[in-house]
Amino acid sequence: MQHFLDQVLHLSGILEEWILGVADAWWVHLMVYLFAAFDGFFPSVPSESTIVTLSSLWASSGRPSIILVGLAAWLGAWTGDNLGYLLGRTIGWQRFRFLREGKGRRAVEAAERGLQRRALIFLMTARYIPFGRTAVNLVAGAVRYPHREFWPRSLLSTFVWAVYSCAIGSLAGAWFEDNHLLAITVALIAAVVLALVVERVINAVHRMLDRRADRRAAEEGAAGADAAGSTSDDTAGAGTDAARTGHLVAPGAEPTSSPEETRP
């Protein structure tokens, strides 16, 4: 048993040295940028877990630079969002099989509804929902959502996402600064748990806003129907009054005298 534990500790030491070596590599920030960019239209890329891992490593070891990691994540995510928009505008979202069924299809329907009703809120929150970021980027391009409104909102939402991801990793790393592997493990677990909680909260908020929008639309429809009915009643009443006088006046015509008025 002691021999097994010694082997595990030895392997963990080797892994820790390898991770620290990767953190010092010049290409680590480029990797963060590319992962965040591809995640804009290919949701299986582990962009957020990579950012959380490196942020946790920064908090426990001082490297790599969290500022550079955050900037790479921000710019990469913004690039990916705009590439996803361009793909949606060019070929549509129907070409992607994972968006035609299951959670992907529900994400597309939510994206179409969200862009119509509350684009800013939906663009800010969609990336925390499974398939949400990919769906909203492709759908925004497919429905010709104005790009002049899409890119600045994407710039804001990706900044918030990058700060959020870096904060999760750095907090976990600060708690376990003496054990880099434990810090990374706790950071990843915390990221998964928080993602589930945030997803539930965001879905609940969107459902509440959808019910409110549906109720407002129903009230406006009922008010419009009442107004149309009132106008119809007024028109019918005016026609009845004219008929009682024994004659109708055509629009633009001079009124004519009734037989009683012309009788000597």
Side-chain angles (χ1 to χ4, degrees), residues 7 15-16 18 31 47 56 62 87 108 117 128 130 147 150 152 159 171 178 209 223 236 240 243:
Q7 284 187 332
L15 180 60
E16 187 171 335
W18 180 81
M31 179 184 68
S47 61
S56 173
L87 283 174
V108 168
R117 295 181 173 180
Y128 305 99
H147 188 256
F150 177 84
F159 173 78
L171 287 175
D178 295 330
L209 293 175
T240 303

Side-chain angles (χ1 to χ4, degrees), residues 119-168:
L120 177 58
I121 296 177
F122 198 81
L123 287 172
M124 290 292 294
T125 58
R127 64 187 59 251
Y128 305 99
I129 304 172
F131 297 101
R133 177 186 176 189
T134 305
V136 73
N137 294 335
L138 293 172
V139 170
V143 301
R144 298 297 195 272
Y145 183 80
H147 188 256
R148 65 180 179 276
E149 297 181 12
F150 177 84
W151 76 259
R153 294 175 175 183
S154 171
L155 193 66
L156 176 61
S157 64
T158 50
F159 173 78
V160 174
W161 172 79
V163 172
Y164 164 81
S165 301
C166 290
I168 294 175

Side-chain angles (χ1 to χ4, degrees), residues 135-215:
V136 73
N137 294 335
L138 293 172
V139 170
V143 301
R144 298 297 195 272
Y145 183 80
H147 188 256
R148 65 180 179 276
E149 297 181 12
F150 177 84
W151 76 259
R153 294 175 175 183
S154 171
L155 193 66
L156 176 61
S157 64
T158 50
F159 173 78
V160 174
W161 172 79
V163 172
Y164 164 81
S165 301
C166 290
I168 294 175
S170 60
L171 287 175
W175 291 339
F176 302 96
E177 59 183 355
D178 295 330
N179 192 321
H180 305 316
L181 291 180
L182 181 59
I184 292 172
T185 302
V186 171
L188 291 174
I189 294 174
V192 172
V193 173
L194 283 176
L196 293 175
V197 173
V198 170
E199 177 193 351
R200 295 292 182 86
V201 172
I202 289 175
N203 283 331
V205 170
H206 280 300
R207 284 195 297 268
M208 180 188 69
L209 293 175
D210 284 340
R211 287 194 297 268
R212 183 179 299 176
D214 291 339
R215 186 166 57 250

Side-chain angles (χ1 to χ4, degrees), residues 71-155:
L71 285 174
W74 180 22
L75 295 177
W78 184 73
T79 302
D81 283 3
N82 284 271
L83 286 175
Y85 177 94
L86 180 62
L87 283 174
R89 192 178 184 90
T90 305
I91 65 176
W93 59 265
Q94 295 85 351
R95 300 284 186 90
F96 298 87
R97 183 177 179 181
F98 63 88
L99 293 178
R100 297 199 302 264
E101 55 189 15
K103 288 185 177 181
R105 178 62 182 179
R106 290 194 293 272
V108 168
E109 294 172 353
E112 293 176 339
R113 186 168 58 251
L115 287 173
Q116 291 176 355
R117 295 181 173 180
R118 47 186 178 277
L120 177 58
I121 296 177
F122 198 81
L123 287 172
M124 290 292 294
T125 58
R127 64 187 59 251
Y128 305 99
I129 304 172
F131 297 101
R133 177 186 176 189
T134 305
V136 73
N137 294 335
L138 293 172
V139 170
V143 301
R144 298 297 195 272
Y145 183 80
H147 188 256
R148 65 180 179 276
E149 297 181 12
F150 177 84
W151 76 259
R153 294 175 175 183
S154 171
L155 193 66

